[in-house]
Amino acid sequence: MKKRSPFWALWGGPIVMGVLTTTGLLTALVSDTWGDWWSWVALGIPVGVMGWYGRPRAQVPTPPAKNPRASAAL
């Protein structure tokens, strides 16, 4: 199995989002019919990804930390 490059692990997602956004904007400016559909898809995917990662998450309760000094003081 080939190891994934650290460059693509870090920059792969932003590059894909940038290419989608660029092609969507250019297609919206210069095309009709199929270009209108592609621009909606290409501009909608980054918005959906931002919505997915920007949604509020449920708070997971964390257990209280054990204090080693508390047991020594007793």
Side-chain angles (χ1 to χ4, degrees):
M1 186 171 172
K2 189 175 178 183
K3 187 176 179 181
R4 192 171 179 189
S5 167
F7 175 82
W8 289 111
L10 180 64
W11 293 106
I15 289 172
V16 169
M17 292 297 130
V19 168
L20 280 172
T21 302
T22 302
T23 60
L25 289 171
L26 290 175
T27 305
L29 287 172
V30 298
S31 295
D32 268 340
T33 61
W34 69 269
D36 293 336
W37 289 100
W38 173 248
S39 65
W40 274 96
V41 171
L43 293 172
I45 290 173
V47 171
V49 169
M50 287 186 290
W52 176 261
Y53 284 104
R55 75 185 191 284
R57 303 253 196 300
Q59 295 292 328
V60 177
T62 57
K66 294 182 180 180
N67 188 352
R69 293 185 186 180
S71 61
L74 295 176

